[in-house]
Amino acid sequence: MSTMEHAEKLLQLTETATSSFHTVEAAVRQLKDAGFTELDSRDDWGLSSQGKYYVVHHGSSLAAFTVGSEFTFREGFRIAAAHTDFPGLRLKPCPEMDDEGYARVNVEVYGGAILNTWLDRPLSMAGRVACRGEDAFHPAVRLIDVKRPVFTIPNLAIHLNKEINKGIELNKQTDMLPVAGMIGEKLNKEDFLIRFLAKELHTQPEDILDYEIGIYNADAGDVIGMDGEFISAPRLDNLTSVQALLTGLTEGERRQGINVIALFDHEEIGSRTKQGAGSLWLNTVLEKIMAGFGRDRNKYLGTLEESLLLSVDVGHAVHPGSPAKSDPTNKNKLNGGVCIKEASAQSYATDCEAIAIVQQICEQENIPYQKFANRSDGTSGGTLGSIASSVLPVRTVDVGVPLLAMHSSRELMGAEDQESLVRLVRAYFSL
């Protein structure tokens, strides 16, 4: 594929992956199209060489793997991981509010969102809803994506806030509440949101028991720049990596071993959940893979010594208006290639042996890359690599595309960098 074809494929994913649940749903579609078979975690897995499989975990995480035609148990796993969630706003229980006749919904901030970028945007909502089922232990869980703007969070006019251009701190409880409409005959202040959900799901309001619903930026992504050199879109963190892993796995050509991708939820809030990288879930998946070939736990533990984990998440590009915020000797640029991220504090998984492997892959395949490090007087976040490798002790390296406006409701990247990342993951799963 060309650079623009990679860009368009990414933009298609940003349109459909509007919650962690929808990210997994979109991933499943791509895997099924590539001939992958679904597995159930409750079953014993009977696996075969040249097999292609996936398993979904609690709706918002997914693992997929391919078995090489010449798999002989001597090779370790090649694993790549990314995350399915993104910063934003989440609906609270009992969210309906009547403020001066405006129907507003009560939300909480999820992750490290840049709050002011959510103002004056067309906002929609997506997630999952639990409805009454046949018995108490089996509620009917359904996905919902409204797919059209239904909310906005209006700024206060400059005439009423003359200091606004000097910078205003937004209060998460009072300033970030989306407006849904006007209270009246059509919007009852007691239950307008539940009634809306029921209508969208073709069910009764009293059958809705609970939900996990996020508010998302409904803007479409675009290729921009005078030469089309940039991608501007919501949710680039971390759908860039999700798409690269899906393409790399489905197009990987390694014959000797097992290639694995893990798409975790909850990275933006610390990863320490049953669906997150801090859980034992990936360990469980890998052990079940070995058991599917008749190998016991001791054999599984032995494979970890030869295994490698590629933690794939976005990095920071040097900002043209604030270059001093970047490290003086490790400034990453848009369209400069894949970032290899290092931190002695292990907020990024720093392992020189693993990094050397990635560098040699890039040099062998002529893939542009650059190295990232934080300024010594500040930090700029971490990712799931160090957390995952603390429960799965394998060599690990953090990589990803550089972004500007990370955690904004709309982020910016270089179009060429997506192609570079896909090529790296594909080579990782092929050589």
Side-chain angles (χ1 to χ4, degrees):
M1 286 191 286
S2 68
T3 297
M4 284 302 102
E5 287 172 327
H6 282 291
E8 289 302 323
K9 194 170 186 67
L10 173 59
L11 289 174
Q12 289 172 14
L13 184 62
T14 65
E15 284 289 305
T16 56
T18 50
S19 76
S20 55
F21 306 103
H22 290 85
T23 302
V24 167
E25 183 182 56
V28 166
R29 284 195 296 269
Q30 292 191 39
L31 292 168
K32 283 184 174 180
D33 289 344
F36 281 65
T37 300
E38 184 174 11
L39 299 172
D40 191 319
S41 294
R42 298 168 293 186
D43 298 336
D44 293 335
W45 294 350
L47 308 176
S48 62
S49 62
Q50 301 186 70
K52 299 187 291 186
Y53 308 95
Y54 73 91
V55 58
V56 175
H57 182 58
H58 291 290
S60 62
S61 295
L62 173 146
F65 60 96
T66 59
V67 183
S69 59
E70 299 174 12
F71 173 55
T72 60
F73 304 104
R74 290 192 297 270
E75 312 88 0
F77 295 101
R78 285 197 196 162
I79 311 161
H83 64 88
T84 60
D85 61 327
F86 49 89
L89 308 172
R90 298 290 174 98
L91 284 177
K92 290 182 180 179
C94 307
E96 293 90 351
M97 301 177 71
D98 177 1
D99 292 319
E100 304 297 331
Y102 293 94
R104 296 208 293 175
V105 291
N106 193 9
V107 297
E108 56 186 327
V109 176
Y110 178 89
I114 303 176
L115 298 183
N116 61 22
T117 67
W118 288 83
L119 304 184
D120 303 322
R121 295 280 190 182
L123 305 175
S124 190
M125 59 181 174
R128 67 176 178 176
V129 179
C131 299
R132 298 184 190 278
E134 294 183 1
D135 63 78
F137 286 92
H138 296 90
V141 178
R142 299 171 60 183
L143 295 191
I144 183 171
D145 184 353
V146 175
K147 294 184 181 297
R148 65 185 187 278
V150 292
F151 303 116
T152 192
I153 307 172
N155 251 306
L156 185 62
I158 193 169
H159 312 77
L160 305 177
N161 186 4
K162 298 186 185 300
E163 303 297 308
I164 191 169
N165 288 326
K166 294 182 179 180
I168 299 296
E169 181 179 359
L170 296 172
N171 183 284
K172 293 179 180 180
Q173 182 58 66
T174 59
D175 295 326
M176 297 305 297
L177 303 183
V179 174
M182 300 301 294
I183 297 297
E185 292 184 5
K186 292 185 178 181
L187 293 185
N188 185 306
K189 66 180 180 179
E190 302 299 329
D191 59 1
F192 63 83
L193 191 281
I194 292 298
R195 287 185 176 277
F196 180 84
L197 292 178
K199 182 178 179 182
E200 291 291 313
L201 293 170
H202 305 287
T203 191
Q204 298 302 312
E206 57 269 23
D207 287 335
I208 294 176
L209 301 174
D210 203 26
Y211 48 74
E212 295 170 76
I213 293 178
I215 308 296
Y216 70 87
N217 182 355
D219 282 336
D222 295 291
V223 175
I224 67 171
M226 291 188 176
D227 291 319
E229 61 264 62
F230 303 127
I231 298 172
S232 171
R235 301 176 287 284
L236 294 180
D237 177 9
N238 189 29
L239 296 182
T240 56
S241 305
V242 169
Q243 187 56 64
L245 265 57
L246 290 167
T247 302
L249 182 69
T250 56
E251 296 181 0
E253 299 176 346
R254 193 162 73 105
R255 297 192 299 271
Q256 287 75 25
I258 297 179
N259 295 334
V260 184
I261 64 170
L263 307 180
F264 292 107
D265 196 1
H266 298 148
E267 190 274 344
E268 298 293 357
I269 54 171
S271 293
R272 303 193 184 280
T273 68
K274 66 184 183 300
Q275 295 118 297
S279 72
L280 293 176
W281 174 60
L282 180 55
N283 253 309
T284 301
V285 169
L286 299 180
E287 189 169 355
K288 283 182 71 72
I289 291 172
M290 295 302 288
F293 286 103
R295 298 283 164 159
D296 62 19
R297 181 168 177 77
N298 282 334
K299 296 291 186 183
Y300 159 65
L301 294 175
T303 63
L304 298 184
E305 291 300 313
E306 291 298 320
S307 296
L308 184 64
L309 170 61
L310 205 63
S311 168
V312 190
D313 199 352
V314 293
H316 294 281
V318 60
H319 194 288
S322 300
K325 293 291 186 180
S326 296
D327 183 73
T329 63
N330 293 280
K331 294 180 178 179
N332 292 190
K333 297 182 179 181
L334 300 187
N335 291 318
V338 176
C339 296
I340 300 175
K341 300 181 284 182
E342 302 186 43
S344 62
Q346 293 295 321
S347 53
Y348 302 121
T350 297
D351 181 319
C352 70
E353 183 182 9
I355 290 170
I357 292 170
V358 171
Q359 283 185 243
Q360 289 181 99
I361 292 173
C362 289
E363 290 168 5
Q364 180 175 326
E365 299 297 312
N366 198 28
I367 299 167
Y369 71 90
Q370 46 197 331
K371 289 194 173 182
F372 176 86
N374 292 314
R375 282 182 58 93
S376 299
D377 55 0
T379 61
S380 55
T383 185
L384 60 83
S386 292
I387 295 171
S389 60
S390 69
V391 292
L392 184 72
V394 300
R395 294 170 297 174
T396 304
V397 58
D398 269 295
V399 302
V401 301
L403 288 190
L404 289 173
M406 187 189 299
H407 286 199
S408 171
S409 73
R410 189 181 182 105
E411 298 161 320
L412 184 69
M413 66 175 290
E416 294 176 8
D417 292 329
Q418 183 66 16
E419 180 182 10
S420 297
L421 183 62
V422 171
R423 290 177 59 210
L424 170 59
V425 179
R426 183 170 54 217
Y428 175 72
F429 284 143
S430 297
L431 299 176

